[in-house]
Amino acid sequence: MLNNKWDIFKDMMKFQWKNNLRNMISVFTGLFVTIILLFTWLTFKVIVDKNDSNKNMELFLQYDPFILSSAIGISTIINCFLNMARIMHEFKIKNFFRRTFATNISKKFLIICMVAYNQMFNMIVSLLLFLFAMCYVSQRDELASVNWLIFIGGYLLLACICNLFGIYVAFAVKRFDMVLIVTNAFYYASTYFLGLGIPYGSLINQNSKIMLWISYIFPQKYPLSIMQAGWQGHFGFDNMKQQTRDEIGDIGIGYWGHNWIPFVVTALLFLFAMLLLRWIIKSKYKIERTNNYEKYARVSKESANKIYLLERATTIEELKRIKESQG
């Protein structure tokens, strides 16, 4: 039994890797944008001396010292939400799930295999971003204050929530082009509203805080805020350090002393996403077969599965696979 599951796990890893190779542009475009933004903030930073008579010149790029955590968070949204939704929808329209779920392979195990690959791929990308940022002295200095428990906890929660919502979008949206529109719109908006494209210091200090209010719409804001706080080494969200034109100043990222909000909202989002995923998989891949066949007292679930597959088989090879899978 364990050997069989291990074989399925390896096959799923290979299958998804080959899919990524066929879609290199889709997989790495978002990552490229993230690296460019991170490079811009870390490289083109001009500190003007306080005593410089020309310090009022617009030469200073103001950025958040937790910019690396923001970049890692945005890349996680790309990999675990956008790419997850893309590959899951591709599998769905090819009837991969209908055929597989009708066999003896566990739905949970299959989803876990796909999520595991996505998480491993995301960790590799995050590590590359981290190593890139370590080329800068300012980012190496930040490591002394990082609370790794908070940061990694927020990172894992963000990745899991993105995975769950990505799977939901893949199953809920019928057309592939609409999946791409929804996920790309969400990704690019997140880039500029969640601390990478536009620093939180700029969002907080602007006269009209409409962009800050919009940022609360994004579910990923809350686990990403935990990551950003962990990078600064504490649970607070209103005394985050930011390099200003003259000094290191305190900024907030929009919770005004209510430090419980990101943690509670993140926990609720995770629970909601789990329930949503359970509902949509059951509604699409179980109830249909039950209503058609298992309403007859003498038709077992295994027989219903086999009838379901036989009805949709179109080639001799598919019939052979059904026979092998059903024993």
Side-chain angles (χ1 to χ4, degrees):
M1 182 68 175
L2 289 176
N3 289 336
N4 186 40
K5 285 192 173 181
W6 174 243
D7 290 338
I8 294 172
F9 180 81
K10 289 191 295 184
D11 288 341
M12 288 302 301
M13 297 297 107
K14 294 176 183 177
F15 194 23
Q16 292 181 90
W17 172 246
K18 290 179 180 178
N19 185 279
N20 278 351
L21 292 178
R22 290 195 303 268
N23 296 276
M24 292 291 286
I25 295 178
S26 298
V27 172
F28 291 105
T29 298
L31 174 62
F32 179 73
V33 173
T34 302
I35 291 177
I36 291 298
L37 286 171
L38 182 62
F39 172 79
T40 301
W41 288 122
L42 296 181
T43 303
F44 300 103
K45 177 184 66 171
V46 181
I47 304 292
V48 181
D49 194 323
K50 291 181 183 181
N51 300 319
D52 189 343
S53 60
N54 295 319
K55 69 178 181 180
N56 291 322
M57 293 176 63
E58 295 298 328
L59 296 175
F60 184 84
L61 290 179
Q62 181 179 337
Y63 79 104
D64 304 319
F66 49 86
I67 191 70
L68 176 55
S69 64
S70 300
I72 292 174
I74 295 301
S75 73
T76 298
I77 295 174
I78 300 168
N79 294 316
C80 296
F81 177 67
L82 190 152
N83 289 334
M84 190 70 180
R86 177 189 57 79
I87 192 170
M88 293 289 284
H89 195 276
E90 285 186 9
F91 284 8
K92 185 188 76 169
I93 61 179
K94 293 177 181 177
N95 284 327
F96 174 82
F97 293 113
R98 288 194 181 279
R99 300 178 192 279
T100 308
F101 288 168
T103 67
N104 295 326
I105 299 175
S106 167
K107 298 181 182 70
K108 292 180 181 178
F109 182 73
L110 186 66
I111 296 296
I112 288 172
C113 288
M114 299 192 71
V115 169
Y117 173 84
N118 186 268
Q119 293 277 358
M120 288 188 289
F121 184 82
N122 182 59
M123 288 180 183
I124 293 172
V125 171
S126 299
L127 179 61
L128 292 176
L129 281 173
F130 178 83
L131 294 175
F132 170 76
M134 290 303 104
C135 296
Y136 296 85
V137 176
S138 62
Q139 295 305 298
R140 294 199 295 271
D141 292 341
E142 291 289 335
L143 295 179
S145 62
V146 176
N147 185 318
W148 291 105
L149 181 62
I150 300 175
F151 176 77
I152 294 174
Y155 173 78
L156 294 176
L157 285 169
L158 175 63
C160 290
I161 289 172
C162 286
N163 275 155
L164 293 170
F165 279 112
I167 295 170
Y168 172 76
V169 169
F171 285 137
V173 180
K174 294 183 178 180
R175 292 169 48 187
F176 184 64
D177 57 343
M178 288 304 300
V179 169
L180 294 180
I181 290 172
V182 170
T183 54
N184 276 286
F186 205 95
Y187 153 63
Y188 284 107
S190 298
T191 299
Y192 289 95
F193 284 101
L194 299 185
L196 179 60
I198 303 175
Y200 271 109
S202 300
L203 294 179
I204 291 290
N205 296 326
Q206 62 176 334
N207 294 328
S208 173
K209 291 185 170 54
I210 185 170
M211 294 186 70
L212 178 63
W213 302 130
I214 292 174
S215 71
Y216 293 106
I217 298 173
F218 300 93
Q220 287 87 345
K221 173 183 173 70
Y222 305 95
L224 182 53
S225 294
I226 296 174
M227 287 177 60
Q228 291 162 339
W231 196 258
Q232 293 286 275
H234 51 69
F235 285 98
F237 299 95
D238 293 311
N239 57 341
M240 311 283 277
K241 299 296 181 182
Q242 185 183 55
Q243 180 74 53
T244 64
R245 196 182 279 273
D246 296 327
E247 60 187 3
I248 296 292
D250 287 343
I251 65 166
I253 55 177
Y255 299 108
W256 294 282
H258 302 288
N259 294 333
W260 56 271
I261 292 177
F263 298 98
V264 172
V265 174
T266 298
L268 292 175
L269 282 170
F270 183 78
L271 179 61
F272 173 73
M274 287 288 291
L275 294 174
L276 196 62
L277 177 62
R278 179 182 176 84
W279 169 78
I280 196 165
I281 290 179
K282 279 193 171 185
S283 65
K284 284 187 173 294
Y285 296 105
K286 182 178 180 180
I287 295 174
E288 177 184 331
R289 296 199 312 273
T290 300
N291 289 343
N292 288 341
Y293 306 113
E294 294 179 27
K295 63 184 178 181
Y296 300 106
R298 294 186 180 180
V299 178
S300 65
K301 181 179 179 180
E302 289 74 18
S303 297
N305 285 341
K306 195 166 186 178
I307 295 170
Y308 179 84
L309 285 173
L310 289 170
E311 282 191 334
R312 286 155 179 78
T314 57
T315 65
I316 298 298
E317 288 72 18
E318 288 182 359
L319 290 173
K320 289 180 179 179
R321 285 197 296 268
I322 293 170
K323 182 179 178 181
E324 292 172 359
S325 65
Q326 297 294 324

